Amino acid sequence: MAAKRMDLNRRTFLVLSGSSNPLGQSLAVEFCRRLATGSLALILDEDHEQLRELENHLHSELKTQNVCVQTGKLDASHANGVQLMEQALKEHFMAGKDTPRFERSIILHNEGKAATHVLQEPQSDDDWQAYVQQQLYAAVALNQTWLQTKHLEQVEKLAVNVTSTLMVRPLVHAGLLCSCKRARDMYFRAMAAEESRFGVHVLSFSPGVMATHVDQCDVNGNRITPAELVASKQLLQLPRIQPRQAILKLINILEEISFVSGHDVDYYDTFVL
């Protein structure tokens, strides 16, 4: 596949799934500020309060009418993301017969969290199934609907899978998270190969070790730092990354450096910003 660059200043339907963490908030702000007039941004998360605050921040930060921002609250299983997206598209095109078609659609998959706030994963079948439904199945279902909806037919598409070079490796206390991350990575690689003939581009992006990563507690209440879970001394010597810094790097890759659809890109691959 040939290397690809993208000018983000196009009339775009943007979907961001997973916005309540600092990385998701930077994704929302930095992508929305670059979209062209007539764009629609749908931001999904299960935290209603965080969604409201982010929506208010976007309206004050962007200071423009270029982008219509809508938010949608995901349910506990994230299964309603499909309905929220279809409803947003339906309402957009019902606004008037003269509503122009989108020039591009971008979906940003930033779903993903540890199975628990303590370093002990769920043990029951129901808890495991609920976690995989939220972190894997719901993301795939949302993406498949995005690919197939009639409202985006013949529209160039870009899917960005926010992943982790670290979390796709076997880690103690993170079996569920690692497994779901690895499965999602393979899904997006396969999608890049299958959908390339339909104008679909795919990038998996690892944002680096975040400066916002916090300590956790094990089952006995002992504090464990992220560094203690990382076996690679080389990785530990790399600088911690601020969320906005990571997103500016992602945008630079899309617009200036170029990328190959289906490939993984890590923040630390190059320090060019």
Side-chain angles (χ1 to χ4, degrees):
M1 295 183 183
K4 175 75 176 177
R5 289 190 183 94
M6 283 190 169
D7 178 6
L8 297 181
N9 187 229
R10 293 287 185 271
R11 188 168 56 253
T12 301
F13 175 55
L14 174 72
V15 182
L16 168 59
S17 181
S19 62
S20 59
N21 58 44
L23 191 70
Q25 294 164 17
S26 293
L27 276 167
V29 172
E30 298 303 330
F31 270 81
C32 283
R33 76 161 76 246
R34 287 165 172 79
L35 302 182
T37 301
S39 296
L40 170 64
L42 175 63
I43 300 173
L44 305 174
D45 201 89
E46 61 182 286
D47 190 323
H48 177 72
E49 186 63 26
Q50 288 278 9
L51 276 173
R52 186 179 63 81
E53 291 180 5
L54 179 56
E55 185 175 17
N56 291 336
H57 177 66
L58 285 171
H59 285 306
S60 62
E61 179 77 15
L62 299 178
K63 297 179 181 178
T64 177
Q65 299 302 314
N66 283 3
V67 182
C68 175
V69 177
Q70 295 185 22
T71 58
K73 184 181 183 302
L74 296 170
D75 58 25
S77 66
H78 292 194
N80 67 327
V82 168
Q83 290 75 30
L84 291 170
M85 182 173 66
E86 286 283 21
Q87 184 64 28
L89 285 168
K90 182 179 179 181
E91 291 176 356
H92 176 78
F93 287 106
M94 284 179 61
K97 294 183 179 180
D98 296 330
T99 302
R101 289 180 58 81
F102 295 114
E103 297 174 289
R104 180 183 292 141
S105 183
I106 300 174
I107 189 166
L108 306 172
H109 287 280
N110 187 45
E111 309 95 347
K113 63 180 183 180
T116 174
H117 292 299
V118 296
L119 293 176
Q120 180 184 35
E121 293 195 307
Q123 299 301 309
S124 73
D125 291 346
D126 288 343
D127 288 341
W128 275 68
Q129 290 177 14
Y131 182 81
V132 175
Q133 160 62 37
Q134 184 189 84
Q135 302 299 319
L136 177 61
Y137 298 157
V140 171
L142 179 66
N143 202 79
Q144 286 299 117
T145 301
W146 172 76
L147 285 172
Q148 298 167 7
T149 178
K150 64 180 182 180
H151 298 295
L152 299 175
E153 288 179 351
Q154 298 181 342
V155 174
E156 182 185 41
K157 297 180 178 69
L158 168 67
V160 177
N161 171 41
V162 178
T163 184
S164 168
T165 304
L166 174 64
M167 287 301 177
V168 296
R169 303 171 185 173
L171 288 178
V172 177
H173 307 301
L176 271 175
L177 179 59
C178 295
S179 300
C180 287
K181 286 284 189 186
R182 176 63 79 179
R184 276 176 47 175
D185 281 9
M186 182 52 67
Y187 163 77
F188 282 104
R189 287 189 180 201
M191 188 186 86
E194 294 170 357
E195 301 292 335
S196 61
R197 63 189 185 276
F198 300 119
V200 179
H201 311 283
V202 183
L203 176 67
S204 287
F205 178 68
S206 300
V209 182
M210 293 284 99
T212 52
H213 284 166
V214 297
D215 295 355
Q216 293 177 293
C217 294
D218 67 13
V219 68
N220 296 316
N222 301 311
R223 294 188 68 81
I224 306 294
T225 67
E228 291 175 298
L229 296 176
V230 179
S232 170
K233 292 183 179 179
Q234 182 180 6
L235 185 60
L236 292 176
Q237 293 172 354
L238 295 172
R240 292 289 190 97
I241 310 303
Q242 294 294 337
R244 183 172 182 269
Q245 185 181 4
I247 302 312
L248 291 179
K249 175 64 174 291
L250 169 61
I251 290 172
N252 187 252
I253 290 168
L254 295 174
E255 292 193 320
E256 303 293 340
I257 297 177
S258 78
F259 66 98
V260 177
S261 184
H263 284 205
D264 297 354
V265 177
D266 191 288
Y267 179 92
Y268 298 117
D269 287 344
T270 171
F271 288 102
V272 177
L273 273 177

